[in-house]
Amino acid sequence: MSGQARHATGPEPTPADGSLVLFGGTSDIGLAIAEALLGDRPGPVTLVARPQSPRLARARARMVAAGATGVRVVGLDVRDLDAHADAVDHAMHDPRAPQEPVRTVIIAFGALGDPEAAWQDPRRTRAMFTVNTTAAASIGALVAEALRAQRRGGGPAGRIIAVSSVAAERVRRSNFVYGASKAGMDGFFIGLGQALAPEHIRVLVVRPGFVRSAMTVGRRAGLAVDPDRVAGAVVRALDTDRAVVRVPRIFTPLMAIYRNLPDRIARRLAF
């Protein structure tokens, strides 16, 4: 692993009991991670999602079944950048339990879209970068400030789990708009983790390959995994103080090779 792989300041204190906030409240990957964490430590959950989403009721039920002691919803369309500050403030401060600290924040929203249409239609290009890059960084910065304020107020250090993609590590022709937009998001959270490390606020960047989920229905790819496998890898990474985790694990050596291939060779690879 590179110097990004572990936090230089050593292990953070174990977060105290507190709430879990999921941005991308209907994301299959985000919900699977939340379920795995609730299995270890039940607590209240806040789902930040589009309030009209037809998947919201099922997301609520999954959290309750996983051990959530309460579930509330904060409505947000992440494309509405002007709404971010109020939504993050509401998500990070539960009016029903104002003294409840935030233990974990999961940022798991994203846009995939049609890879060819994404670069041939400027509106789609902008939309993908708005969701995957600008919105993710905006919410990440707001969450970081909220966790810093919690820490300065004598509360526990929280942690951020940011779901990126192996596509961020080297942009490929087959999905270069998505990959480039995720690369911006990925780099932001790597840097954020380094900036927050002195305050023991941890950031874990998750780089899955192809995940079978609602976002990828109808698509196929090699080395595909289910959301539960991503969640298991996240739990293990948190236990070992990793800053980056790839899923499946084989992507660690594969991407080390691919990142260093000369362009003339990389362009010939049919994936």
Side-chain angles (χ1 to χ4, degrees), residues 120-221:
Q120 297 182 61
D121 182 344
R123 292 170 301 176
R124 296 192 187 199
T125 308
R126 287 193 299 269
M128 191 169 291
F129 273 85
T130 296
V131 173
N132 291 346
T133 313
T134 306
S138 170
I139 288 171
L142 289 163
V143 165
E145 184 50 40
L147 290 177
R148 293 180 72 207
Q150 175 176 285
R151 186 74 163 150
R152 289 193 298 265
R159 59 194 180 192
I160 300 170
I161 300 169
V163 180
S164 177
S165 169
V166 292
E169 296 198 54
R170 182 170 182 174
V171 177
R172 297 179 289 123
R173 164 63 184 88
S174 61
N175 65 349
F176 71 89
V177 177
Y178 174 77
S181 66
K182 277 294 190 179
M185 175 265 192
D186 191 288
F188 174 83
F189 282 99
I190 289 292
L192 186 65
Q194 294 168 352
L196 293 176
E199 298 178 73
H200 295 290
I201 298 169
R202 185 174 177 189
V203 179
L204 173 63
V205 175
V206 186
R207 295 176 183 161
F210 186 91
V211 181
R212 302 180 192 95
S213 67
M215 192 169 78
T216 60
V217 169
R219 304 185 188 207
R220 293 184 180 180

Side-chain angles (χ1 to χ4, degrees), residues 26-49:
T26 60
S27 157
D28 288 329
I29 297 174
L31 289 167
I33 294 170
E35 285 171 333
L37 295 176
L38 286 168
D40 257 354
R41 186 178 294 172
V45 173
T46 297
L47 300 175
V48 185

